[in-house]
Amino acid sequence: MSALLSATCAVPAAGAVLTAALPAGSSESRRRATKAVALGVSAVTLVLAAVVAARFEPHGDRYQLTESYSWIRSFGITFSLGVDGIGAVLALLTAVLVPMVMLASWHDADPGPAGPDGTFENRRRTQAFFALILAVEAMVIVSFYATDVFLFYVFFEAMLIPMYFLIGGFGDRAGGPESARQRSYAAVKFLLYNLLGGLVMLAAVIGLYVVAQDQGFGTFDLPTLASAVADGKLQLSGTAEKALFLGFFFAFAVKAPLWPLHTWLPNAMGEATAGTAVLITAVVDKVGTFAMLRFCLGLFPHASKTFAPAILVLALVGIVYGALLAVGQKDIKRLVAYASISHFGFIIMGIFALTSQGQSGATLYMVNHGLSTAAWMLVAGFLISRRGSRLIADYGGVQKVAPVLAGTFLIGSLATLSLPGLAPFVSEFLVLVGTFTRYPAIGIVATFGIVLAALYALLLYQRTMTGPVKDGVRTMPDLKARELAVVAPLVALTVLLGVYPKPLTDLVNPSVNATLSQVHETDPAPAHPVAATSGGEQK
Amino acid sequence: MNSLIPLLVAAPLAGAALLLLGGRALDRFGHWLATALAALSFGFGLALFSDLLGRDAEHRTVTKHLFSWIPVNGFQADFTFRLDQLSMTFVLLITGVGTLIHLYSVGYMAHDERRRRFFAYLNLFLAAMLLLVVADNYLLLYFGWEGVGLASYLLIGFWQHKPSAATAAKKAFIVNRVGDMGLSIAIMLMFAEFGSFAFGPILGSEGAAGGAHQASEGKLTAIGLMLLLAACGKSAQVPLQSWLGDAMEGPTPVSALIHAATMVTAGVYLITRSSAIFDLAPDAQTAVVVVGAVTLLFGAIVGCAKDDIKKALAGSTMSQIGYMVLAAGLGPIGYAFAIMHLVTHGFFKAGLFLGAGSVMHGMNDEVNMRHYGGLRKYMPVTFVTFGLGYLAIIGFPGLSGFFSKDKIIEAAFAKGGTEGWILGLCALVGAAVTAFYMTRVMVLTFFGEKRWQPDEEGNAPHPHESPKTMTVPMVLLAFGSVFAGGLFAFNDSFLKWLEPVTGHEEGNSPLAPLTVTLLTTACMLAGVALAYLVYGRSPVPVVPPVGSPLTRAARRDLLQDDFNHAVLVRPGSALTATLVYFDSRGLDGFVNGLAATIGGLSGRLRRVQNGFVRSYALSMFGGTLVLVATTLLMRSV
C-alpha cells in the first residue's frame, strides 16, 4: 500500500499547522518567511499531485493508489483514499491553483499601517491567511481522493471553516467603511447556505447507512456500496433512493452552486480578496460538481436518471440567468461571480446529460473553468488593487497605460467566452454536443449562452480597458514580475489545453465510461453513422 | 508536399506570436518580418498550387493529419487539413492580397506607435482565415472561423482609445457570435445525425457519395439553415449585416483585408464547401438566394446614401457579397461563379479600399466625400488605380467584374421559372445601382471643384501622392482588377478548375447569354449616366441636402440599428435590470430574512467570529435533530 495519496493530503495539512505556528511579527522579513514556507509547501503538494496523476493508469482499475486505515470501526467508517481519473485531474488543478493564489495574494494579508500607539491591528494576519489557504487545499484534496462516504462528508463540511474565515477576515482594499460589515454578512451567508446543504447531506449519509446496514452492507465504503447497487445486491426502494439522491444533490447544488441556490456566491466572491474568490469558484465549488458525478450517479443511478431532466432545466436556467445577471453588474468581481454561475450551469448540464461527451466535457470544464476564471479574476484583482475600487465605472482606458495588464485581462475574457483555441472552448462544446444528442431543445437554448458570454466579457473589457483614460487610472503601473509569474502559467495552460487537451481526456475518458456504465446509460446512436476517419488515422 | 499545408497557417501564426511576445526589440523591423511571413505563406501556396496542377483534375484533394485534437468516446475532432481546388483558390487569394495589404500597411501605419501590434494582428488574421479554409472538419473550421472573429475584433478596435472603435469592435464580435451559434448548432446536428462532422464522410470526396445522401431532407434543411445563419454573420448578410458599416472604425488596411481577402468571404466559402448538403435541401437553398438577393439590394441602397467614402464602399461590399451568396444559393449553376466573383472582387475591392486609404492619407484622414473633389490632379496613381477598380466593379466590358458579375446574372436567370426572373431582375437592378453609387464615389472624390475643409486643428489639407509601399500594392491590385476576370473566363478555365469540387450545371435560362450581357451593360450605363447627371453636372453641396425619406433611411443604414435597438437591445436591458433587481430582492430577500432572524436572535453581526460561532452552534443543534430524525425515518421507509 503506497502512501502517496495520504502524503499529498498530509503535506498541505502539516504545512497549514506549521505556517500558523511560525513566529508572529510585523517585520517584513518575518512575513516574507511565512509566505515562503507556505508557498514552498504548496509547491511540494503540486509535485505530489502531479506524481499521482502521472502514476494513475487510465486503463487500470477504477480506483488506484488506494489506502485504507480504520477509523470508527463500529459504524464501518474508514479513512480510505483512492483516485480515479477525474479525482486525479481535479486534485492536480487544485494543486496548480493554490501557489498561484498565494503569489497573487502576496500582500493581501499584510497588516495595515501601525495604529496611533505604534501597535498593529492583528499581528498574526499573515500567518493566518496563508495557513487557512493551505488548510483549504488539504481538505479539498482529501475530498477528491476520499473513497469513504463519511470521510468525504466530514471534509466537505470542514472546509467551510477555513473558507469562512478567509471570506470574513480578509477583504480587498476596495471597500469603504461599510466593507467590514458587508464582508461579515457575506461570510455568514456563505456559511448558512453551505451548512444548510451540509445538514441535509448529513441526513442522507446517515439514511444511506441505515438502509444499507439493513441489507448487510454496514459500510461507508464507496466502491463496495456502488458495486452492490450496480449488481442489485443493495436495493433501495424507489422513494428511499429518490430521497437520498435529493439529500446528497442538495448539498452539492448549494456548493456548485446551481440556480436558484446561487445567491451566496456573488456576495462571497465580491467581498473576499481576489485570491479567496478564486479559491471559492475554482477550487471549493468544484468539489460540489465532482461529488455529483461520483456520489449521486454512482450511488443512486435510477434516481439520477429520474431527476436528470429537471436538473438539466435548472442548469439551463442557470446558464442564461447567470449570463444575463453578469451583463447587468456594476461591480467587476460580482460580474465574474455571475459568469461563474452561468458556467456551473454548463458543468451540471454536462453531468446530467448522461452522455460520454457531456461528462468528459463537464470534467474538462471543471479544470478549464478553474484555470480561466483564475486568470480572469486574479488580473481583475490586480486591477482593483491599483485603483482601490471594484466599480466598473471607475475604470476606462487602462489599455493605454497598462497594456500587459489589459492584454492578459483580454485573454481571460476570451477564455471565459470560450474562444476556440483556448481550453474552455473544448469543454463547452463537448457539453453542448453531449446535451444536444439527448435533449436537442435544451442544447439549442444553452447555445444562446455563447452569445451572452461574449456580451458580458467584452462589455467589461470595453468599459474598463478601452476609451479615454479615466482620472484614477492615469498613473496605474503595469503588471509587476510577481503578477506576471501568476498569469503567465495560467495563460500558457489555457492555450495548451485548448489546442492539445489529449493528456486530460486520456485520464478522464475511462472514468467517465465507468460512471456511465454505473448509470446503465449509453450514448444515443447517430441516425446515419459514417466512418469518422476524417482523412487521418483513427484513434 | 502535403506537409507544406500546416506551414501555410504556421508562418503567419508564428509571426503573430513573435510580434506579440517579442517586445520592443522588434519595433524596428517587426512590420517587415510580418510582411515577409505573409509572403512566405503565399510562396507555400504557390508551391502547393503547382503541385495540384501537376495532378489529375479528379485527384487534387490532399489531406494532412497532424494530431488528434479532442478525442472523447464517439467524438473525434482532429487537426487535419485538406487542400483541394476550392481551398487552394482561397489560399492564394488570402495570402496574395493579404501580403499586398501588409506591404501597404508598412507605409500607412508608419507613424503609429503601436505598429508592431498592428502587424501581429494582421498576421493573426491571415493565420485564422487560412485555418478556416484548409480545415478538414467543421469543428476545426469553427476554430478558424472564431479566430477570424477575434482578429477582426482586435483590428476594428485597434484605435481603442476611441470609444466608437471599441464599440464597433464589440458589436462586430457579438453579431458574429450570433452567426457562430448557427455554426455550433449545425455541427451538433451533424454529430447527432452522422456521428461525425468531418468533410469527407459527410460531404463525400472524389466521387464517393458522403453520408449526406442518407439523411432526411428535413435534417439537411435544418443543417443548411444553421450554416446560412453562420454565413450571414461572417459575410454581413441580412439580418446580421449591422456590424459591417461600423467596422470602418478600424484602420483602412483592415477594411481592405476584411472586405476583400478574408472574413466576409468566409460565409460564401462555408456555403460552397457544404454544397453536398445544400444541393439536397432545396428549401435551405431558397433561403440562401433570398438572403443574397435582399442583401445585394440592401447594400447597394445604403451605398448610394453614404457620404463617408469607407462606408459607401462598405455598402458596396455587402451588396457584392450578396451577389456571391445569391450565386451560391443557386446550386451547381452558380457555385463556381460565386467563387470567381469572390476572387475578382478580392482584387478590385482591396484596390478600392487601399485607394480610399491613400486619399485619406493625403487629406488629413478626412472621410467625407463632400469635402473631397478634384483630387485626380494631386494623386494621379491613386486616381488611375482607383479608377480601374471602379470600372471593374461596375462591370465595364473587358474588366474583371464584367466577366464574373455577368455570369452570376446569367446564372440567376438560368434558375428558371418565376424564381429565375425575380432573381435575375434583382441582380440587374443591383448592377444599375452599383454603377450609380460607384460613379458617385468617383465623381465626388476625383472630379469637380475642390471642396476641401480644414481639419479640427485648422490645418488645410495638402493632398499628395502616397509613398511607394502604398502605391505599389495598389498598382498590382489594379492589374488584377483589369485582367483576372478575362483570364478566368478565357476558355472557362476557372470553371473547369473548380468543377471537380463544386460540380456544374448549365441551367435553363429563358434569355440568351448575349441578351443578358447586353441588358447588364445597358443597366450599368444607365446607372453611370444618372450619377453623372446628379453629381457631375452641378456643384456638389458641402452640407448634404435633406433628401427623400428613403435617402434619410439609407443614411441610417435602412434603420438597421434602430430596429435592433428597439427589438433586442432595449427589451434585453430591461430584462437584465429586472433580473438584477429580482436576484437581490426577491430570491435573496428570503435568505436575508433567515439570516436576519438568526442575527436578530443573537444581536447584530458585529464581529465575524460571533456570526460564525452562532451559525455553527445552530447547525450542530440542527445536526443532532437531523441525525435522530433520519435514523427513525429511514427505518420506516
Side-chain angles (χ1 to χ4, degrees):
Chain A
M1 195 162 75
S2 112
L4 187 56
L5 293 186
S6 45
T8 314
C9 305
V11 166
V17 176
L18 176 66
T19 310
L22 284 175
S26 47
S27 73
E28 175 66 27
S29 61
R30 288 217 173 142
R31 282 205 303 278
R32 204 177 296 147
T34 306
K35 295 170 188 175
V37 167
L39 189 64
V41 169
S42 71
V44 174
T45 313
L46 171 58
V47 171
L48 288 169
V51 172
V52 170
R55 286 259 218 104
F56 179 78
E57 184 54 53
H59 296 282
D61 294 341
R62 173 77 195 269
Y63 295 102
Q64 299 176 20
L65 302 170
T66 51
E67 300 172 37
S68 187
Y69 311 94
S70 64
W71 188 15
I72 310 175
R73 204 164 293 168
S74 52
F75 289 106
I77 297 171
T78 56
F79 194 102
S80 300
L81 302 177
V83 64
D84 68 353
I86 301 171
V89 163
L90 291 175
L92 184 58
L93 168 73
T94 306
V96 167
L97 288 180
V98 166
M100 302 293 153
V101 166
M102 284 185 178
L103 263 181
S105 315
W106 207 242
H107 296 297
D108 285 0
D110 289 355
D117 53 351
T119 56
F120 290 92
E121 194 188 336
N122 183 348
R123 298 173 63 226
R124 299 205 65 85
R125 263 178 81 82
T126 312
Q127 281 83 355
F129 184 74
F130 286 90
L132 287 168
I133 293 178
L134 284 173
V136 171
E137 180 177 30
M139 291 171 177
V140 169
I141 292 180
V142 173
S143 309
F144 288 136
Y145 289 164
T147 53
D148 184 279
V149 179
F150 197 81
L151 178 67
F152 172 83
Y153 167 75
V154 168
F155 281 88
F156 180 80
E157 278 292 271
M159 75 180 77
L160 297 180
I161 302 170
M163 280 318 299
Y164 171 84
F165 286 109
L166 279 172
I167 297 168
F170 306 86
D172 59 37
R173 291 176 185 151
E178 269 287 277
S179 73
R181 212 182 61 77
Q182 293 278 348
R183 212 160 53 232
S184 98
Y185 167 69
V188 171
K189 191 170 173 185
F190 162 82
L191 194 66
L192 277 180
Y193 260 91
N194 284 282
L195 281 178
L196 181 67
L199 278 183
V200 175
M201 182 180 167
L202 175 63
V205 168
I206 296 163
L208 175 68
Y209 179 76
V210 171
V211 174
Q213 198 195 26
D214 279 353
Q215 298 187 29
F217 291 93
T219 177
F220 282 102
D221 186 51
L222 176 68
T224 313
L225 288 172
S227 64
V229 168
D231 302 344
K233 289 186 192 134
L234 173 57
Q235 288 188 328
L236 306 178
S237 75
T239 328
E241 194 194 350
K242 281 180 201 157
L244 294 177
F245 171 87
L246 288 177
F248 277 81
F249 182 77
F250 182 74
F252 304 150
V254 168
K255 189 154 280 190
L258 176 65
W259 187 89
L261 303 169
H262 63 274
T263 63
W264 64 269
L265 188 73
N267 288 80
M269 283 179 69
E271 302 303 327
T273 66
T276 308
V278 170
L279 280 184
I280 297 171
T281 190
V283 175
V284 170
D285 287 357
K286 295 299 181 307
V287 182
T289 44
F290 162 80
M292 289 179 192
L293 258 178
R294 178 172 277 183
F295 295 98
C296 289
L297 299 191
L299 292 173
F300 315 112
H302 308 290
S304 296
K305 273 185 177 169
T306 312
F307 286 112
I311 294 170
L312 283 177
V313 170
L314 292 181
L316 182 63
V317 173
I319 291 170
V320 177
Y321 185 91
L324 283 173
L325 266 284
V327 174
Q329 292 307 308
K330 298 188 175 75
D331 175 317
I332 298 173
K333 285 161 84 185
R334 287 178 67 91
L335 189 153
V336 177
Y338 279 105
S340 284
I341 290 166
S342 181
H343 288 144
F344 281 115
F346 274 108
I347 297 176
I348 296 171
M349 193 168 88
I351 293 173
F352 282 93
L354 301 179
T355 58
S356 36
Q357 297 89 38
Q359 292 196 347
S360 290
T363 309
L364 294 188
Y365 211 126
M366 294 185 218
V367 176
N368 298 338
H369 171 258
L371 295 172
S372 64
T373 305
W376 202 31
M377 187 70 179
L378 292 176
V379 178
F382 300 150
L383 180 72
I384 290 166
S385 69
R386 281 163 166 70
R387 171 75 176 77
S389 167
R390 302 206 301 260
L391 286 182
I392 296 169
D394 285 341
Y395 295 88
V398 173
Q399 180 273 330
K400 189 93 177 165
V401 290
V404 179
L405 190 154
T408 50
F409 192 70
L410 180 61
I411 296 175
S413 310
L414 295 172
T416 297
L417 62 81
S418 295
L419 190 83
L422 301 176
F425 169 74
V426 174
S427 39
E428 188 161 302
F429 195 80
L430 282 173
V431 165
L432 283 172
V433 94
T435 308
F436 181 86
T437 52
R438 205 180 291 281
Y439 304 98
I442 292 182
I444 287 174
V445 178
T447 312
F448 279 96
I450 71 172
V451 179
L452 293 173
L455 193 59
Y456 64 69
L458 294 185
L459 262 179
L460 176 62
Y461 182 82
Q462 184 191 345
R463 287 174 180 164
T464 52
M465 301 295 169
T466 70
V469 182
K470 279 251 172 92
D471 276 339
V473 169
R474 218 168 290 283
T475 55
M476 190 177 274
D478 211 335
L479 287 190
K480 298 187 219 75
R482 169 180 60 85
E483 295 166 328
L484 208 54
V486 172
V487 183
L490 291 174
V491 168
L493 277 174
T494 310
V495 173
L496 180 71
L497 293 176
V499 179
Y500 196 64
K502 196 163 175 291
L504 277 192
T505 53
D506 283 351
L507 274 177
V508 164
N509 285 340
S511 298
V512 164
N513 284 352
T515 310
L516 273 181
S517 67
Q518 283 176 328
V519 198
H520 301 288
E521 199 56 273
T522 50
D523 293 334
H528 300 96
V530 294
T533 46
S534 162
E537 72 201 6
Q538 189 107 27
K539 196 202 134 220
Chain B
M1 211 51 169
N2 296 6
S3 36
L4 275 188
I5 306 174
L7 292 179
L8 283 172
V9 184
L13 187 64
L18 270 174
L19 262 60
L20 282 177
L21 301 174
R24 302 239 162 76
L26 291 169
D27 274 353
R28 251 173 345 106
F29 61 95
H31 46 288
W32 286 114
L33 179 71
T35 310
L37 284 165
L40 180 67
S41 192
F42 181 57
F44 291 146
L46 286 178
L48 286 160
F49 181 53
S50 81
D51 179 56
L52 284 199
L53 283 181
R55 290 164 188 255
D56 178 17
E58 296 298 324
H59 298 96
R60 283 179 178 158
T61 302
V62 289
T63 58
K64 171 75 187 166
H65 175 86
L66 273 194
F67 58 89
S68 177
W69 180 22
I70 310 177
V72 167
N73 304 318
F75 182 98
Q76 195 188 353
D78 291 347
F79 254 86
T80 305
F81 298 135
R82 153 191 295 242
L83 196 68
D84 60 10
Q85 291 92 327
L86 181 61
S87 33
M88 192 71 244
T89 309
F90 274 84
V91 165
L92 291 176
L93 176 70
I94 295 162
T95 53
V97 176
T99 304
L100 292 179
I101 292 171
H102 273 71
L103 184 62
Y104 176 92
S105 305
V106 170
Y108 192 85
M109 299 298 282
H111 307 298
D112 198 296
E113 53 176 352
R114 292 160 71 232
R115 178 170 63 175
R116 176 168 56 89
R117 194 181 280 223
F118 181 79
F119 276 87
Y121 295 163
L122 283 188
N123 260 335
L124 181 67
F125 210 139
L126 286 198
M129 191 66 199
L130 287 167
L131 178 62
L132 194 163
V133 297
V134 298
D136 188 43
N137 63 62
Y138 281 98
L139 201 67
L140 193 60
L141 181 149
Y142 188 53
F143 191 161
W145 188 267
E146 286 243 317
V148 168
L150 169 66
S152 68
Y153 172 78
L154 295 169
L155 284 168
I156 294 168
F158 185 72
W159 288 319
Q160 40 177 253
H161 54 90
K162 281 164 56 186
S164 55
T167 308
K170 184 199 62 192
K171 181 175 177 186
F173 195 91
I174 288 169
V175 173
N176 265 290
R177 267 258 151 154
V178 176
D180 297 348
M181 211 177 98
L183 187 52
S184 282
I185 296 175
I187 297 174
M188 295 194 277
L189 280 163
M190 288 180 207
F191 182 73
E193 186 69 12
F194 306 115
S196 168
F197 36 77
F199 289 161
I202 295 180
L203 307 173
S205 55
E206 301 198 337
H213 281 273
Q214 297 158 14
S216 69
E217 192 184 317
K219 280 278 165 57
L220 293 172
T221 305
I223 296 174
L225 290 175
M226 287 297 111
L227 291 173
L228 174 62
L229 179 64
C232 285
K234 276 281 174 292
S235 291
Q237 300 292 292
V238 176
L240 298 181
Q241 78 290 353
S242 69
W243 63 271
L244 191 73
D246 294 5
M248 295 300 118
E249 287 290 338
T252 307
V254 174
S255 309
L257 197 58
I258 290 180
H259 287 250
T262 61
M263 189 115 179
V264 294
T265 60
V268 183
Y269 172 79
L270 183 69
I271 294 173
T272 311
R273 172 57 76 199
S274 311
S275 56
I277 292 171
F278 281 98
D279 290 346
L280 296 168
D283 291 344
Q285 280 187 318
T286 307
V288 175
V289 290
V290 168
V291 164
V294 168
T295 310
L296 92 82
L297 294 175
F298 187 110
I301 292 169
V302 169
C304 293
K306 292 289 185 185
D307 290 330
D308 177 327
I309 186 168
K310 285 173 74 181
K311 295 204 168 169
L313 290 177
S316 146
T317 298
M318 202 189 286
S319 172
Q320 298 300 311
I321 303 283
Y323 271 106
M324 299 169 209
V325 170
L326 166 66
L330 297 171
I333 311 174
Y335 291 128
F337 303 129
I339 303 301
M340 181 162 143
H341 193 53
L342 191 151
V343 176
T344 58
H345 176 258
F347 289 121
F348 54 69
K349 186 50 67 64
L352 288 169
F353 265 111
L354 296 188
S358 176
V359 169
M360 288 162 58
H361 201 70
M363 293 291 287
N364 296 347
D365 285 330
E366 177 66 75
V367 290
N368 189 342
M369 293 188 288
R370 292 185 186 274
H371 298 169
Y372 292 165
L375 289 176
R376 67 182 187 283
K377 286 184 216 124
Y378 300 88
M379 314 178 91
V381 181
T382 306
F383 168 63
V384 171
T385 55
F386 194 94
L388 289 171
Y390 155 74
L391 291 175
I393 195 174
I394 65 171
F396 194 82
L399 276 78
S400 284
F402 167 76
F403 294 101
S404 52
K405 194 187 289 178
D406 188 58
K407 285 288 184 194
I408 292 181
I409 297 173
E410 270 179 42
F413 280 110
K415 176 83 176 165
T418 327
E419 214 184 331
W421 277 104
I422 295 173
L423 295 173
L425 288 175
C426 281
L428 273 180
V429 172
V433 184
T434 306
F436 175 83
Y437 67 74
M438 283 310 301
T439 308
R440 174 174 177 268
V441 169
M442 200 65 197
V443 171
L444 288 183
T445 306
F446 293 102
F447 294 91
E449 74 287 12
K450 301 173 191 171
R451 298 177 303 275
W452 309 346
Q453 309 285 324
D455 67 8
E456 283 157 12
E457 284 134 37
N459 303 321
H462 298 286
H464 52 272
E465 192 51 272
S466 298
K468 278 276 184 319
T469 49
M470 290 168 66
T471 50
V472 168
M474 286 154 56
V475 170
L476 290 174
L477 287 168
F479 271 98
S481 309
V482 175
F483 298 112
L487 193 70
F488 293 162
F490 178 72
N491 203 11
D492 283 335
S493 56
F494 194 83
L495 178 61
K496 285 178 187 156
W497 158 252
L498 272 187
E499 197 180 343
V501 184
T502 58
H504 183 64
E505 284 169 18
E506 283 299 329
N508 37 8
S509 177
L511 301 171
L514 184 65
T515 319
V516 175
T517 306
L518 289 176
L519 276 174
T520 309
T521 310
C523 283
M524 183 266 290
L525 290 174
V528 172
L530 184 62
Y532 176 73
L533 285 177
V534 177
Y535 298 99
R537 305 243 314 201
S538 50
V540 177
V542 173
V543 178
V546 179
S548 67
L550 178 64
T551 313
R552 291 203 299 272
R555 279 186 196 136
R556 295 179 64 87
D557 302 289
L558 297 177
L559 308 179
Q560 63 186 14
D561 288 335
D562 307 71
F563 177 83
N564 288 345
H565 204 77
V567 174
L568 295 170
V569 178
R570 224 170 296 149
S573 314
L575 176 66
T576 306
T578 316
L579 287 180
V580 169
Y581 182 84
F582 168 75
D583 198 68
S584 60
R585 305 293 144 87
L587 209 54
D588 222 22
F590 168 73
V591 186
N592 285 353
L594 190 69
T597 317
I598 293 163
L601 284 175
S602 47
R604 297 184 54 194
L605 300 170
R606 201 160 290 154
R607 284 212 321 213
V608 170
Q609 281 77 359
N610 277 351
F612 176 75
V613 170
R614 280 177 200 129
S615 314
Y616 220 82
L618 185 79
S619 81
M620 275 156 93
F621 175 65
T624 321
L625 278 184
V626 162
L627 206 135
V628 176
T630 32
T631 317
L632 294 175
L633 191 71
M634 290 314 287
R635 298 266 184 212
S636 61
V637 177

